[in-house]
Every structure is written in structure tokens, then in C-alpha cells.
Amino acid sequence: MASPLTHAATGLALGFAFRKPGDGARAWILGAFAAAAPDLDAFGVLFGIPYESPAWGHRGFTHGLIFAVLLAALLAWRAFPPERRRRLFFYFLLAAASHGLLDAMTTEGLGVAFFAPFWNERFFLPWRPLLVTPLHAPHLFGMHLYGARLFMVRMAELTTVWPCLGAFAALAAWLRGRKARPAEPLGQEA
């Protein structure tokens, strides 16, 4: 899996395309949560659930598109008024779905069950530049601050994912700024 920090950052970056004034910090926080939440299935190991289990194993149902739809609907409908729900539903949906896409770009594991529970085959993307963050509690929460493996994981994410996130967020913010500015009449000079 990509690191929880990179998943959450992906949710935040996507927020630049969907958030509007008045949404408050709650939208940002829930967007980051939606992007990182699928990895809650990693705790299944503590309860004896095998990694390869189609339903509750790591990268199974919680990494699929059905879970992304359910999570997005829950977050949008429970946390926001009706006039904001549709827009924020799509934000949370993309944030949650981004998780599986990032994990499908890793070099190890069994792949991602994008279509669980209806089809449990697991997939990787053809381009796999990301190393897997180890499934140990200190690593999951970013508390393991030493070691060559973790350094390589972080560097792979910082050099491939983070520049894309920054570019996306900057472009979305710029486009929102242009949209918010009133158009200047043609033929008038400043």
C-alpha cells in the first residue's frame, strides 16, 4: 500500500477541485479520511483475517469501487446539508477510489479487488512505481522514522505522486480563481 500520508494528501489535493466557500474544514478532513479509510482493513490481520480474503482481507472489498460509493454517500449525506451533498459525494467518491488506484501502482502484494464483492479478481496497473509500506502498526501510522525501506517508500511517493498532487491542486485552484473572477469586457484596456 502507499503510505497513509500519501493517501490523505491525495484526498486533500482532490478537494481543490470540489470545495466551495462555506464547506468548512470538515470537507477537507473528510476528503483526507475517505482517501485513507480503505486501509482500515489492514487491522483485520490482528483478528486473523488473511490478507488474501476476498471480503475483508487487505486490498479486498474496502479498496473497491462499491466501498468508495458507500463511503462517499455516508460522508456526504450524514455531514452536509442537501444543497452540498451531490458535489461533495463526488469529491469523497474520487478520494476513496483514489486509494485503490494508488495501491494498484505498488510493486508488491496481490493487487486490488476493484470490483469486490461481485468480482474478487485483483489487479495492478501497468505502471507500478510505488513501493509497499510495510503492514506493521508503527509503519502504518508513520511512527517508524528510520530504516532504508521506509526511506525508499517515502522517496518513491515524493518523486512520483506528490508532484502530481501539487500540480493538480495548483491547476484546480487556478481554474477556480479564474472562474470566480468577473470577465473583463472585450476592447477595454486596464
Side-chain angles (χ1 to χ4, degrees):
M1 69 183 185
S3 71
L5 181 61
T6 294
H7 284 303
T10 302
L12 293 173
L14 288 169
F16 281 93
F18 289 92
R19 280 201 65 243
K20 287 189 176 180
D23 286 342
R26 182 180 353 177
W28 289 102
I29 292 167
L30 291 176
F33 172 78
D39 273 340
L40 291 174
D41 66 4
F43 289 106
V45 173
L46 301 174
F47 300 103
I49 298 171
Y51 176 99
E52 62 276 356
S53 171
W56 300 111
H58 186 55
R59 293 187 178 178
F61 174 70
T62 63
H63 285 57
L65 298 173
I66 299 298
F67 179 81
V69 168
L70 295 173
L71 180 62
L74 175 70
L75 295 176
W77 267 257
R78 293 289 299 159
F80 293 94
E83 65 274 5
R84 297 182 181 178
R85 288 179 183 160
R86 179 177 292 165
R87 174 178 45 82
L88 291 173
F89 165 78
F90 285 111
Y91 167 36
F92 299 143
L93 173 63
L94 288 176
S98 74
H99 190 106
L101 287 174
L102 284 174
D103 280 3
M105 291 192 300
T106 60
T107 58
E108 299 173 42
L110 300 177
V112 176
F114 287 113
F115 306 106
F118 303 112
W119 187 23
N120 292 319
E121 186 173 346
R122 294 176 181 229
F123 299 90
F124 282 108
L125 294 178
W127 186 53
R128 296 169 59 189
L130 303 178
L131 299 172
V132 172
T133 300
L135 280 175
H136 298 86
H139 291 97
L140 287 173
F141 298 105
M143 294 183 283
H144 190 268
L145 301 176
Y146 55 89
R149 171 69 181 195
L150 190 60
F151 176 76
M152 291 180 352
V153 167
R154 297 287 186 253
M155 289 309 298
E157 292 176 352
L158 287 172
T159 58
T160 56
V161 179
W162 286 71
C164 296
L165 297 179
F168 177 85
L171 178 62
W174 180 74
L175 289 172
R176 279 201 170 273
R178 286 185 51 90
K179 186 178 178 182
R181 240 182 294 145
E184 293 180 18
L186 293 175
Q188 287 189 356
E189 294 184 26

